[in-house]
Amino acid sequence: MDTAVKKVVVVGGGFAGLNFAKQLMSNKDFAVTLVDTNNYHFFPPLLYQVASGFIELSNISYPFRRLFQEKENMRFHMGSLVRVNKDNNTIDTTTGTLAYDYLVLALGTETNYFGIENVKQQALPMKTIEDAVNLRNHLLLAMEKAVMTNDPAEKEKLLTIVIAGGGPTGVEIAGMLAEMGHHIGAKEYPEFTGIRSRIYLIDAGPVLLGPMSKVAQAEATKVLGKLGVQIITGVAVKDYADGKVILDNGTAIPTKSLIWTSGVIAREVPGLPEGSTGRGRRILVDAFNKVKGTANIFAIGDICYQDTDPQYPNGHPQLAQVAIQQGKLLAHNLQQFIAKQPIRPFIYVNKGSMAIISKYKAVADLPKFSFKGLLAWFVWLFIHIIPLVGFRNKAKLAFSWFYSFITNNPTLRLIIRPKERIS
Ligand SMILES: Cc1cc2nc3c(=O)[nH]c(=O)nc-3n(C[C@H](O)[C@H](O)[C@H](O)COP(=O)(O)OP(=O)(O)OC[C@H]3O[C@@H](n4cnc5c(N)ncnc54)[C@H](O)[C@@H]3O)c2cc1C
């Protein structure tokens, strides 16, 4: 057995990178450095609740250094990956160069605007904590501006929200904003008596929640329709110009708020061998998550494309469970490899998918059956508390939900505009 301590650099502390790193904590055979642009891990499935002012951002985020407290073999390096220098086993980051024996790429994905430049410049994405806080500020400011303007057309624009993307994220934010409009609108904005805000949910596919079951699709359409959300399917957003969202059927919707949840593309990693990326820029890996054409570089989670799992010949869905399971298995395999023990190929264990549509209503697709309604809503709450990092976060989130759902009156609608970052 090789007894030298192995330097492992893992780039990205999302579900994949963090679960990988946690498995190697306290294993003295490895010196692990986790690199991330941010100094915290966060939980993307609940971003929409931060964006709508329902929960605090600290409920769903956790500092890496706190996680690594008193773990001698763990280091955190704050910085963004610039390139991989595979011939000399180093990476360049915005804050320095790091050497590795094994490199693990877990940078996830970024918002895909499908080359529509106006949308990229003006739409509101929901991929990071900063996006969620920015969206919250934008929507609250739009309400204040709508109160102040005397121009009816401008008021309508400010009170209209267009959501592009009818997947779980689009459905969840549409439902939450519509419900908050009903519960809070009349209480807090007496200026709008007799004026209704409008929410449009647009998807290019034929139905909402495309990859989910028919039960889930029908329930989402029914519940959102009852909440007054205007659902437009089979039509794509083509442009966002002159304050109007332009659809490919020629319709133009005047609005100041286009929320973009339409798609993702893998983050770019300069320096990998030619031919090592595929569709959606995903990094091609073998059954053990080793990057094509490399000896000691691995990719896990949303950023990788693996077609060796017999149930998923076209690659895995980009979901939290895939990232978590790949992170854990890679850590196990590395330890086995060093100990000259057998390693296992990745096989995804599908635990199902869920979406919350409104208060007390959710949909759940388990591998063998689907269900909806109150039970699905409770299961959704439970499942989204369990994987949160830190007991305090779990307790705080449970309290926030209890307070907000019972009172219909969360108190987090604060417009906070941080100053420019120090460079
Ligand atoms: C709004 C939203 C809702 C979602 N809801 C669900 C859901 O309900 N269920 C579900 O299963 N999945 C859901 N997903 C998908 C799920 O979040 C992803 O599949 C999962 O996060 C992938 O994990 P990952 O570790 O590969 O990437 P990520 O979790 O995206 O982590 C990537 C990490 O890399 C860091 N990073 C990025 N670029 C750099 C760089 N250049 N240098 C250094 N670090 C970098 C980031 O800061 C981040 O910490 C949702 C995603 C979003 C955006």
Side-chain angles (χ1 to χ4, degrees):
M1 180 171 151
D2 180 358
T3 51
V5 173
K6 302 291 174 207
K7 278 188 286 223
V8 179
V9 172
V10 48
V11 188
F15 286 119
L18 189 64
N19 277 284
F20 168 82
K22 276 164 77 178
Q23 300 295 308
L24 295 184
M25 264 182 199
S26 309
N27 183 334
K28 300 264 167 52
D29 296 336
F30 296 93
V32 180
T33 303
L34 189 145
V35 180
D36 203 293
T37 309
N38 301 308
N39 76 334
Y40 54 83
H41 166 79
F42 73 100
F43 190 77
L46 292 176
L47 276 179
Y48 80 97
Q49 296 200 359
V50 174
S52 49
F54 202 71
I55 59 171
E56 286 178 50
L57 67 90
S58 65
N59 288 168
I60 63 161
S61 40
Y62 203 86
F64 292 117
R65 286 189 183 276
R66 173 73 176 76
L67 268 168
F68 297 166
Q69 258 182 21
E70 294 172 30
K71 301 283 182 253
E72 276 175 26
N73 70 328
M74 308 298 292
R75 290 288 179 273
F76 171 65
H77 179 99
M78 186 165 164
S80 296
L81 180 74
V82 175
R83 66 174 292 114
V84 175
N85 310 305
K86 79 175 182 56
D87 294 335
N88 57 2
N89 288 341
T90 62
I91 58 162
D92 296 334
T93 75
T94 46
T95 47
T97 297
L98 299 170
Y100 61 81
D101 295 314
Y102 298 103
L103 175 65
V104 179
L105 300 168
L107 290 74
T109 55
E110 59 193 24
T111 304
N112 190 353
Y113 299 97
F114 303 103
I116 315 173
E117 199 50 36
N118 282 333
V119 170
K120 184 174 175 185
Q121 296 305 327
Q122 301 169 62
L124 300 151
M126 208 174 41
K127 193 76 184 79
T128 63
I129 290 270
E130 279 155 6
D131 290 341
V133 174
N134 185 41
L135 178 52
R136 186 179 79 187
N137 284 340
H138 176 97
L139 296 176
L140 291 168
L141 271 172
M143 297 292 280
E144 295 306 327
K145 286 183 183 164
V147 168
M148 282 179 270
T149 183
N150 293 318
D151 175 349
E154 183 72 359
K155 202 181 277 289
E156 190 178 321
K157 254 189 189 181
L158 285 160
L159 291 178
T160 298
I161 298 169
V162 176
I163 301 163
T169 304
V171 164
E172 287 175 342
I173 187 115
M176 174 124 306
L177 292 176
E179 282 213 304
M180 288 182 95
H182 287 298
H183 293 306
I184 293 160
K187 283 188 241 174
E188 287 188 12
Y189 298 92
E191 297 89 345
F192 298 148
T193 307
I195 304 174
R196 280 293 300 276
S197 63
R198 291 204 187 99
I199 298 174
Y200 292 88
L201 179 58
I202 296 168
D203 197 279
V207 282
L208 298 180
L209 299 179
M212 292 188 77
S213 66
K214 288 207 164 20
V215 173
Q217 294 164 352
E219 179 75 353
T221 306
K222 190 177 99 190
V223 174
L224 290 182
K226 274 193 185 159
L227 285 170
V229 175
Q230 317 268 320
I231 299 165
I232 304 176
T233 51
V235 177
V237 170
K238 205 172 81 179
D239 206 350
Y240 185 28
D242 305 322
K244 291 185 192 119
V245 172
I246 317 291
L247 307 184
D248 67 2
N249 66 359
T251 308
I253 307 172
T255 180
K256 297 266 186 188
S257 308
L258 169 61
I259 301 176
W260 193 256
T261 68
S262 260
V264 292
I265 183 164
R267 289 205 168 91
E268 217 168 343
V269 181
L272 291 182
E274 222 169 278
S276 59
T277 51
R279 240 180 72 207
R281 224 197 266 152
R282 285 168 86 176
I283 299 172
L284 307 177
V285 296
D286 67 13
F288 306 95
N289 284 88
K290 185 147 63 67
V291 175
K292 191 176 171 190
T294 72
N296 55 349
I297 304 178
F298 299 85
I300 49 177
D302 277 6
I303 200 169
C304 78
Y305 179 87
Q306 187 177 51
D307 60 6
T308 48
D309 186 342
Q311 292 289 322
Y312 298 89
N314 299 316
H316 299 105
Q318 285 162 300
L319 292 174
Q321 269 304 323
V322 176
I324 292 168
Q325 292 175 29
Q326 282 184 338
K328 288 182 176 171
L329 181 67
L330 179 59
H332 168 82
N333 278 344
L334 263 189
Q335 296 176 89
Q336 291 284 102
F337 181 73
I338 301 297
K340 299 205 178 344
Q341 295 297 313
I343 57 174
R344 285 200 325 261
F346 181 71
I347 304 287
Y348 173 48
V349 181
N350 178 12
K351 297 186 176 171
S353 52
M354 305 193 75
I356 199 165
I357 308 171
S358 70
K359 190 174 167 182
Y360 307 139
K361 291 199 165 70
V363 287
D365 287 345
L366 298 187
K368 292 215 161 56
F369 65 98
S370 303
F371 61 107
K372 59 180 189 176
L374 185 64
L375 176 64
W377 186 78
F378 270 118
V379 174
W380 186 98
L381 294 189
F382 188 67
I383 282 182
H384 284 78
I385 280 199
I386 302 275
L388 274 189
V389 176
F391 172 76
R392 199 161 159 261
N393 276 5
K394 294 185 214 277
K396 276 191 329 192
L397 182 63
F399 176 77
S400 295
W401 277 345
F402 179 75
Y403 179 79
S404 298
F405 282 126
I406 294 289
T407 62
N408 283 327
N409 213 353
T411 53
L412 299 167
R413 289 179 296 286
L414 313 172
I415 300 170
I416 296 167
R417 284 161 288 187
K419 286 189 181 163
E420 290 290 297
R421 278 190 220 190
I422 302 166
S423 60

